[in-house]
Amino acid sequence: MGDLWWTPERALLWSWVVTCGIQGSCFLIAAKCKFDKITDFAGSMNFIIIALMSLIIGDWYSARQIILVAEVLICRFELAIFLLMRVLKRGKDDRFDEVREHFCRFFGFWVFQAIWAWTCTAPAVLACAMPADAPLDYRDFVGIAVFVVGVSMQFLADYQKSEFRANPANKGKFCDVGIWSWSRHPNYWGEILIWTGIFVGSLAATDNSIIWAGLMSPLYTLLILLGFSGAPIAESESNKRYGRGANAEAYAEWRRATSPIVVMPQCLYRVLPGAVRLLCCCEFPCYAAGSTDVENPLGAEAAEKATYDGGEALHGEGDAAKGEAPRA
């Protein structure tokens, strides 16, 4: 039947209130008990809770709303289990070793996680607050297709990397098998596609311009993965680990031939000019941080500056948000 009280504005407001309650209470437990095992699980479950809450309170239950909420549940439940199993296996989360004892820096991560959950779920939350009178159209099917590609890519990347690391013969080696030979961070590309697909699928819910507020979902994902706590930190750490020593030459060659984010064959990426790599494939100068042995597509001077700037960011205030949103 639908609840007309549950407007898009109220849906966004109350989903934020619930998010703050979830993340705030879990932060207090984690800070008090020095307990890492709930951190990523709380973040992933936050998506599921506010998506289901919006569907149930909205009470429209249209096909579009059910599809969008189901997509959120599928991708975040898989992530919650993956991250929970990982931290249980490791015993702790190494990302917090330097910030766990610093209240403000540790709290900063939880604020970051709250914003992440709220912004990314916004398209589904908004769609669930719209009257269910708009039939499915091409945007729904395009969104579903993009989502399926994204979640499949993310699952495949996680599976292949887990299998690679489980092989004792690969100890100390970088993962360059399967889809990892087409992208240095295929899981990030999958994450970007997931939220882009959900946003596109929400557009047909209404002609109300507020639905475009859901654009913050893929944009925020791009921001944190390409320029904040995702690729810059992962690239810097990989460059330091593999950019010198026995694997340095093979690592440099893999890096030169492999797109950082966008999945594409090496034969195609090799022939792209540096400007195209930068603008279309997100090969940013900061990704050369951590190793002077790694070739920067924009030149040696840019690589040297990226190494300096990236190191400063990694050891400075950037650590406050070192919680890599989707996966490490």
Side-chain angles (χ1 to χ4, degrees), residues 63-64 216 266 272 277:
R64 176 178 297 107
M216 61 184 173
Q266 290 186 350
L272 295 178
R277 292 186 180 193

Side-chain angles (χ1 to χ4, degrees), residues 265-321:
Q266 290 186 350
C267 60
L268 173 60
Y269 189 70
R270 284 177 184 273
V271 300
L272 295 178
V276 176
R277 292 186 180 193
L278 172 67
L279 297 175
C280 301
C281 303
C282 308
E283 186 69 86
F284 301 135
C286 61
Y287 295 170
S291 174
T292 55
D293 296 335
V294 175
E295 179 181 327
N296 189 296
L298 301 183
E301 183 178 348
E304 182 178 356
K305 183 178 186 303
T307 301
Y308 174 78
D309 294 343
E312 288 295 306
L314 184 61
H315 296 292
E317 293 301 317
D319 266 348

Side-chain angles (χ1 to χ4, degrees), residues 89-166:
K89 181 178 180 181
R90 295 179 180 179
K92 67 171 185 174
D93 195 327
D94 295 335
R95 292 175 300 169
F96 304 115
D97 286 346
E98 297 179 10
V99 301
R100 196 180 292 109
E101 303 300 326
H102 301 275
F103 182 88
C104 291
R105 294 176 68 186
F106 193 41
F107 179 69
F109 167 81
W110 287 86
V111 172
F112 165 84
Q113 182 162 265
I115 296 173
W116 171 48
W118 182 69
T119 55
C120 286
T121 318
V125 169
L126 287 168
C128 287
M130 304 294 180
D133 52 3
L136 296 178
D137 68 13
Y138 71 93
R139 289 168 290 186
D140 296 282
F141 299 109
V142 170
I144 292 171
V146 173
F147 170 83
V148 169
V149 171
V151 77
S152 300
M153 189 173 297
Q154 198 172 74
F155 177 81
L156 179 62
D158 287 336
Y159 174 77
Q160 290 180 339
K161 194 164 193 176
S162 295
E163 289 294 300
F164 181 86
R165 287 180 170 174

Side-chain angles (χ1 to χ4, degrees), residues 118-304:
W118 182 69
T119 55
C120 286
T121 318
V125 169
L126 287 168
C128 287
M130 304 294 180
D133 52 3
L136 296 178
D137 68 13
Y138 71 93
R139 289 168 290 186
D140 296 282
F141 299 109
V142 170
I144 292 171
V146 173
F147 170 83
V148 169
V149 171
V151 77
S152 300
M153 189 173 297
Q154 198 172 74
F155 177 81
L156 179 62
D158 287 336
Y159 174 77
Q160 290 180 339
K161 194 164 193 176
S162 295
E163 289 294 300
F164 181 86
R165 287 180 170 174
N167 187 346
N170 294 325
K171 185 176 182 180
K173 297 180 181 180
F174 59 93
C175 182
D176 61 347
V177 300
I179 198 171
W180 294 88
S181 66
W182 283 35
S183 171
R184 305 202 298 270
H185 304 286
N187 48 345
Y188 291 170
W189 183 237
E191 184 78 3
I192 292 167
L193 292 180
I194 284 171
W195 298 112
T196 300
I198 291 176
F199 167 66
V200 171
S202 72
L203 289 177
T206 180
D207 292 330
N208 190 330
S209 60
I210 196 173
I211 198 68
W212 284 93
L215 183 60
M216 61 184 173
S217 174
L219 290 182
Y220 187 72
T221 302
L222 283 168
L223 175 65
I224 60 175
L225 292 185
L226 301 187
F228 192 32
S229 71
I233 290 176
E235 287 277 305
S236 179
E237 292 179 346
S238 293
N239 293 343
K240 291 177 181 178
R241 184 178 301 118
Y242 306 117
R244 299 177 176 88
N247 291 317
E249 186 176 347
Y251 176 73
E253 175 58 27
W254 171 72
R255 198 176 185 283
R256 279 192 293 268
T258 309
S259 169
I261 305 294
V262 181
V263 173
M264 66 174 62
Q266 290 186 350
C267 60
L268 173 60
Y269 189 70
R270 284 177 184 273
V271 300
L272 295 178
V276 176
R277 292 186 180 193
L278 172 67
L279 297 175
C280 301
C281 303
C282 308
E283 186 69 86
F284 301 135
C286 61
Y287 295 170
S291 174
T292 55
D293 296 335
V294 175
E295 179 181 327
N296 189 296
L298 301 183
E301 183 178 348
E304 182 178 356

